Amino acid sequence: MAEEHGARAMFVAGGTDLFPKLKRRQFEVETLIGLDFLPRVIRNGSTECAIDAGVTLATAAHDSHLQAGFTGYAQAAGLVSSPPLRNAGTIGGNLCVDTRCNYYDMTYEWRKAAGFCIKKDGDICLVAPSSPRCWAVSSSDTAPMAIALDGVVGLAGPEGDRELPVSALYRDDGIEYMAKRPAEVLTGLRLRKSANTRSAYVKLRRRGSIDFPIAGAAVAMELDGESVIGCRIVLSAVASYPLEAAAAEKFLKGKRLDQETIREAAELAAKPAKPLDNADLSHFWRKRMVRVVVEQAIQRVSDQRAGFGG
Amino acid sequence: MKNEITRDVERVVLALDVNGEARQLLVAVHKTLLEVLREDLQLTGTKHGCELGECGTCTVLIDGRPELSCLSLPIQLQGRAITTVEGMASGSELHPLQTAFAELGAAQCGYCTPGILLSARALLEENARPSRDEIREALAGNLCRCTGYTKILQAIELAAERMR
Ligand SMILES: Cc1cc2nc3c(=O)[nH]c(=O)nc-3n(C[C@H](O)[C@H](O)[C@H](O)COP(=O)(O)OP(=O)(O)OC[C@H]3O[C@@H](n4cnc5c(N)ncnc54)[C@H](O)[C@@H]3O)c2cc1C
Ligand code: SF4
Ligand code: FES
Ligand code: FES
């Protein structure tokens, strides 16, 4: 059906991202294809966990196995938007959530008055007018954590079923931000880790609830006592895709987790983040805060290792 | 202009369970639950705020859990139990939350009240003895511009106590 309707149709799961955007005419479609038929089960194992795309964020956040074994993922799901939105919003919808920009997430009338931009109806970028591309910001809280926990998504489409690592699901482009084909439905997410992996997600936003992230750090670390065997650090809301901090990951490998190491790793992780002036609060401040959220997330992982919970 | 075309409106017959009553109605398929409740069912207790998921005043319960009626399509809610603020009292007897809100002045302009009452009701059904932080978390999607929240928190605590 999605293939037959092409660009005139869109999928809808919880509708919590899509409906506000339809109201603001950021999307203009004739047909909505409801995904209510998607299963909603979480299958937990010790080193792998499979979550159906239709599972709500509230269910994922409250799942005690996820909280214990895939802590950062449950935290990220629980930090999306607000409680009533998490009761409707799904984990599949959160992985597909549209990129955001202050010049785009506005009413039709506002955009018309300000001048349309390339992402919808216009031909220039209002944030970086000399740039040929769109810099809208990847704003999913769970996508970075799914990458850090070595996630793989299931996709089902007219050409058959396939699996794709979450790290390959996104593109560095504010408009064509997903590598999934438009007619493909995301059916589920598998997270994988070793027995000694600990994870944490730290989110920065203006208020303690409702708001999208303006910076976020997803950290998953495999630990042997005090030393780091392997580590993934992925940032939210600092680029058009979830940004992996490869230099910091490499730096941490084999190191002991002490204050100095954590500080240096956070410094390295923040380097590639280049927030632009198209999200909430000042982008200079956001840039400075990336280091802080990474440091906090690594610290939380370190505290879990010491048995402080988290 | 491309953005201003008018389209034929498709209508559908829907069977909805609202406050325990089976309702059948013919509505435009694109109408939100908020619009259907207020315009087609005359249940105007559910308030219309930002329409974008940001304020929570349109909160209703779907199968007992708070969701936003401004971002729900009734066609996706057939077979599910919808509860609005009109469904809180039993007959002429107010729900203990409603009584506590009135007694303590937890409503000033009252615009946020229906949504907050429903979020609070869902919380108390799951947790009879919530801490103040748990109440705050449960209300984290409902904005109030008048009360400063303290009276709301106190009223929920009072109602919880009376309901135990
Ligand atoms: C006030 C407000 C605050 C918010 N804050 C946050 C926040 O802090 N962090 C955050 O990450 N998000 C936030 N959101 C966005 C949204 O609520 C969440 O991202 C939510 O998880 C989206 O899930 P959904 O099921 O409602 O998706 P929908 O709105 O149904 O869909 C979103 C997009 O994904 C596509 N889609 C959905 N499911 C599938 C699938 N299974 N396969 C293929 N495509 C699919 C849809 O076509 C659409 O393009 C906020 C939204 C609002 C209104
Ligand atoms: S980054 Fe530029 S093109 Fe993209 S949405 Fe913002 S203003 Fe539009
Ligand atoms: S009117 Fe629904 S959240 Fe504001
Ligand atoms: S009482 Fe006025 S908004 Fe809450």
Side-chain angles (χ1 to χ4, degrees):
Chain A
M1 183 170 173
E3 196 174 37
E4 182 188 315
H5 289 267
R8 288 170 294 124
M10 280 182 92
F11 295 122
V12 57
T16 62
D17 188 49
L18 190 58
F19 293 155
K21 300 214 164 190
L22 288 172
K23 292 183 187 195
R24 292 187 292 239
R25 288 197 252 173
Q26 289 162 272
F27 296 119
E28 289 167 283
V29 292
E30 289 166 15
T31 306
L32 291 178
I33 305 173
L35 295 177
D36 309 75
F37 59 85
L38 287 177
R40 297 176 167 228
V41 180
I42 302 179
R43 285 167 295 270
N44 266 294
S46 56
T47 57
E48 187 167 317
C49 158
I51 315 171
D52 288 332
V55 168
T56 64
L57 292 161
T59 305
H62 292 138
D63 187 273
S64 54
H65 288 281
L66 278 179
Q67 286 175 346
F70 298 85
T71 315
Y73 186 81
Q75 287 170 345
L79 286 169
V80 173
S81 59
S82 70
L85 286 162
R86 292 197 292 274
N87 284 336
T90 63
I91 66 115
N94 196 252
L95 288 172
C96 301
V97 67
D98 192 13
T99 52
R100 296 181 58 79
C101 170
N102 281 350
Y103 294 89
Y104 165 68
D105 291 294
M106 288 292 180
T107 59
Y108 173 75
E109 289 73 20
W110 189 99
R111 287 183 287 122
K112 188 173 173 187
F116 293 113
C117 74
I118 345 174
K119 188 152 158 83
K120 181 76 179 96
D121 299 330
D123 51 17
I124 61 158
C125 170
L126 299 169
V127 183
S130 57
S131 156
R133 60 164 282 187
C134 163
W135 297 92
V137 184
S138 164
S139 302
S140 165
D141 285 299
T142 64
M145 206 60 242
I147 295 172
L149 286 165
D150 207 15
V152 172
V153 288
L155 298 171
E159 286 151 47
D161 297 355
R162 61 177 178 136
E163 284 204 323
L164 200 66
V166 184
S167 56
L169 187 61
Y170 303 100
R171 293 201 184 128
D172 184 10
D173 185 86
I175 300 172
E176 300 290 338
Y177 62 96
M178 293 204 84
K180 143 186 129 44
R181 297 180 198 116
E184 276 180 322
V185 174
L186 200 154
T187 53
L189 168 69
R190 270 193 308 125
L191 301 174
R192 300 170 300 178
K193 62 168 192 101
S194 79
N196 296 322
T197 302
R198 305 280 175 268
S199 58
Y201 181 72
V202 171
K203 168 173 180 171
L204 179 71
R205 54 179 160 181
R206 185 185 283 263
R207 300 170 287 186
S209 177
I210 306 175
D211 298 331
F212 277 89
I214 48 177
V219 173
M221 244 182 234
E222 190 187 342
L223 296 162
D224 178 10
E226 303 233 316
S227 53
V228 180
I229 310 238
C231 155
R232 303 283 294 268
I233 302 177
V234 188
L235 307 175
S236 35
V238 296
S240 294
Y241 63 107
L243 186 67
E244 187 148 6
E249 294 174 350
K250 206 166 143 215
F251 167 78
L252 276 171
K253 213 169 161 183
K255 294 252 168 33
R256 270 192 67 232
L257 268 191
D258 53 34
Q259 289 309 319
E260 187 52 28
T261 314
I262 295 177
R263 208 190 49 74
E264 258 182 77
E267 202 81 56
L268 275 175
K271 268 211 181 114
K274 293 200 173 54
L276 291 177
D277 193 11
N278 61 350
D280 197 10
L281 300 175
S282 124
H283 59 299
F284 299 112
W285 185 75
R286 270 163 39 223
K287 165 84 188 162
R288 293 219 316 262
M289 289 307 285
V290 176
R291 183 186 61 71
V292 179
V293 288
V294 176
E295 196 171 322
Q296 287 177 353
I298 303 179
Q299 190 61 55
R300 285 196 195 170
V301 168
S302 168
D303 292 349
Q304 286 173 38
R305 170 206 48 145
F308 297 149
Chain B
M1 232 189 95
K2 169 161 151 276
N3 282 300
E4 270 138 40
I5 23 172
T6 49
R7 298 195 186 100
D8 289 337
V9 174
E10 188 185 332
R11 283 170 202 282
V12 281
V13 177
L14 295 178
L16 298 178
D17 167 357
V18 183
N19 298 328
E21 274 178 54
R23 311 288 299 250
Q24 266 224 351
L25 55 164
L26 177 70
V27 291
V29 68
H30 65 264
K31 272 191 153 185
T32 62
L33 177 61
L34 175 63
E35 291 163 335
V36 168
L37 288 172
R38 292 181 57 90
E39 295 164 13
D40 298 274
L41 294 171
Q42 276 71 52
L43 292 172
T44 53
T46 308
K47 298 294 175 236
H48 172 299
C50 65
E51 286 249 27
L52 297 170
E54 288 167 17
C55 73
T57 192
C58 68
T59 304
V60 297
L61 303 184
I62 308 289
D63 294 336
R65 298 230 162 77
E67 290 192 25
L68 301 177
S69 60
C70 72
L71 301 184
S72 313
L73 286 186
I75 196 168
Q76 293 186 289
L77 295 173
Q78 300 190 88
R80 308 193 52 196
I82 301 165
T83 310
T84 69
V85 70
E86 289 89 347
M88 279 194 70
S90 38
S92 60
E93 197 177 320
L94 292 180
H95 188 281
L97 277 163
Q98 292 173 305
T99 314
F101 269 58
E103 283 175 15
L104 295 192
Q108 287 183 18
C109 80
Y111 209 76
C112 66
T113 312
I116 292 193
L117 285 170
L118 289 163
S119 289
R121 175 173 150 179
L123 169 70
L124 296 187
E125 268 161 27
E126 251 177 39
N127 179 355
R129 220 176 267 277
S131 66
R132 195 158 265 214
D133 277 348
E134 285 168 335
I135 302 177
R136 277 206 182 94
E137 172 57 28
L139 298 187
N142 296 87
L143 299 181
C144 172
R145 304 201 64 175
C146 307
T147 64
Y149 301 100
T150 307
K151 298 233 163 162
I152 293 175
L153 300 171
Q154 288 168 347
I156 294 171
E157 282 164 353
L158 177 64
E161 201 181 304
R162 288 177 177 166
M163 283 164 73
R164 288 200 282 268

Coordinates of all heavy atoms in Angstrom, one line a residue, chain B residues 48-58 68 70, ligand 3:
Chain B
H48 N -8.9 22.6 24.9 CA -8.3 22.7 23.6 C -7.2 23.8 23.8 O -7.5 24.9 24.1 CB -9.4 23.2 22.7 CG -9.0 23.6 21.3 ND1 -8.1 24.7 21.1 CD2 -9.4 23.2 20.1 CE1 -8.0 24.8 19.8 NE2 -8.7 24.0 19.2
G49 N -5.9 23.4 23.9 CA -4.8 24.3 24.2 C -3.9 24.5 23.0 O -4.3 25.1 22.0
C50 N -2.7 24.0 23.1 CA -1.7 24.2 22.0 C -2.0 23.4 20.7 O -1.6 23.8 19.7 CB -0.4 23.8 22.5 SG -0.2 22.0 22.9
E51 N -2.8 22.3 20.9 CA -3.0 21.4 19.8 C -1.8 20.7 19.2 O -1.8 20.2 18.1 CB -3.7 22.2 18.6 CG -5.1 22.5 18.9 CD -6.0 21.7 18.0 OE1 -5.6 20.6 17.6 OE2 -7.1 22.2 17.7
L52 N -0.7 20.8 19.9 CA 0.6 20.3 19.4 C 1.3 19.4 20.3 O 2.5 19.1 20.2 CB 1.6 21.5 19.0 CG 1.1 22.4 17.9 CD1 2.0 23.6 17.8 CD2 1.0 21.7 16.5
G53 N 0.6 19.0 21.4 CA 1.2 18.0 22.3 C 2.1 18.6 23.4 O 2.7 17.9 24.1
E54 N 2.0 20.0 23.5 CA 3.0 20.6 24.4 C 2.4 21.0 25.8 O 3.1 21.2 26.7 CB 3.6 21.8 23.8 CG 4.6 21.4 22.7 CD 5.0 22.5 21.7 OE1 4.8 23.7 22.1 OE2 5.5 22.2 20.7
C55 N 1.1 21.1 25.9 CA 0.5 21.7 27.1 C -0.2 20.7 28.0 O -0.3 20.8 29.2 CB -0.4 22.8 26.8 SG -2.0 22.3 26.1
G56 N -0.8 19.6 27.4 CA -1.4 18.6 28.2 C -2.9 18.9 28.6 O -3.5 18.0 29.3
T57 N -3.4 20.0 28.3 CA -4.8 20.3 28.7 C -5.8 19.4 28.1 O -6.9 19.2 28.6 CB -5.1 21.8 28.6 OG1 -6.3 22.0 29.3 CG2 -5.3 22.2 27.2
C58 N -5.5 18.8 27.0 CA -6.4 17.9 26.3 C -6.3 16.5 26.7 O -6.9 15.6 26.0 CB -6.2 18.0 24.8 SG -4.6 17.3 24.3
L68 N -2.8 12.2 24.8 CA -3.3 13.6 24.4 C -4.3 13.5 23.3 O -4.0 12.9 22.2 CB -2.1 14.4 23.9 CG -1.0 14.6 25.0 CD1 0.2 15.3 24.4 CD2 -1.5 15.3 26.2
C70 N -5.5 15.8 21.4 CA -5.2 16.6 20.2 C -4.3 15.9 19.2 O -4.2 16.3 18.1 CB -4.6 17.9 20.6 SG -2.9 17.8 21.2
Ligands
FES3 S1 -3.9 20.8 23.3 FE1 -3.2 18.8 23.4 S2 -1.3 19.0 24.4 FE2 -2.0 21.1 24.2

